[in-house]
Amino acid sequence: MSQTIYSLSRTRRSSDLSKHSAEVFAEAEDHPVTVTRRDGEALVLMSQREAVGRTRLLDIAAQLITVTLDTEGSLSERMSRSFPWMLALSPADRETCARDLIDAARASFSTDQSHLVTVELTAWKETATAVAAGLGREDLQWFDDGVVHSVERP
C-alpha cells in the first residue's frame, strides 16, 4: 500500500479497542484506525463507506489502466469502450470527459480521496444519460420569476 492510503489513519493499541471501544469506533467513522497487536499484524478499522470508496476507486483504476494499455484509437475512443455511456456525448464532450476523468482519478489517488473520481464519473454519466434522454436538444427556459432565461447546456 502506498504511503498516502493510511496517511490520515490514527494508531491505537488493541487494549484501547476493548477498553474504549465507543471512542475507537467513533474515530473509525471519520478515518481509518490502525489497531496494533502484540501477538499479530496490525489491523485497520474503517467504516463501510470508506471501504466501499476504496473498492470503487480500485475498480475505476482497473478500467483506466485497461484504457491506457489499449493502443487502438484516441483516448476518448478507448474510454468509450470501457464506459459505453460516453457514446451519448458529443465527440467534443467525450474528449473533455476523458480528460476530466483521468485528472479526477489522479487527484483521487494522490490525495486518497476516492470521492473525487466517483463524483466526476457520476456527473458525466448523469450528463450522458440526460443527453441520451433528449435533454439539451432544445434551449431550456425557466419561468419562475416571470422572466424568460436561457440555460446553457451543462
Side-chain angles (χ1 to χ4, degrees):
M1 296 257 159
S2 76
Q3 193 83 17
T4 61
I5 292 207
Y6 296 109
S7 59
L8 296 177
S9 178
R10 301 261 168 38
T11 302
R12 298 291 221 130
R13 295 183 312 264
S14 59
S15 60
D16 291 338
L17 187 56
S18 59
K19 293 177 186 173
H20 310 287
S21 60
E23 185 180 312
V24 175
F25 288 147
E27 272 186 59
E29 286 183 18
D30 293 335
H31 52 77
V33 175
T34 301
V35 179
T36 58
R37 305 179 308 158
R38 282 185 276 166
D39 61 344
E41 188 175 352
L43 302 173
V44 177
L45 181 64
M46 68 179 72
S47 69
Q48 183 171 1
R49 173 186 37 79
E50 179 80 22
V52 167
R54 290 169 190 262
T55 299
R56 282 188 186 140
L57 183 59
L58 289 174
D59 288 343
I60 292 168
Q63 288 177 298
L64 293 177
I65 289 169
T66 300
V67 165
T68 59
L69 293 177
D70 189 356
T71 58
E72 233 176 273
S74 67
L75 175 62
S76 65
E77 291 168 342
R78 296 188 319 258
M79 292 276 285
S80 295
R81 286 193 290 272
S82 281
F83 304 104
W85 50 263
M86 285 179 64
L87 295 170
L89 301 170
S90 70
D93 284 347
R94 275 184 242 148
E95 289 291 330
T96 302
C97 175
R99 283 191 310 274
D100 287 354
L101 291 177
I102 295 292
D103 290 346
R106 291 175 63 205
S108 283
F109 278 109
S110 66
T111 62
D112 193 31
Q113 299 295 313
S114 63
H115 68 279
L116 299 175
V117 71
T118 303
V119 166
E120 192 71 30
L121 182 72
T122 301
W124 273 108
K125 187 174 182 181
E126 291 297 324
T127 299
T129 301
V131 169
L135 295 177
R137 290 189 188 141
E138 296 180 22
D139 288 337
L140 299 175
Q141 295 180 350
W142 300 94
F143 297 103
D144 19 57
D145 61 359
V147 178
V148 177
H149 300 277
S150 292
V151 178
E152 291 187 30
R153 188 170 165 219

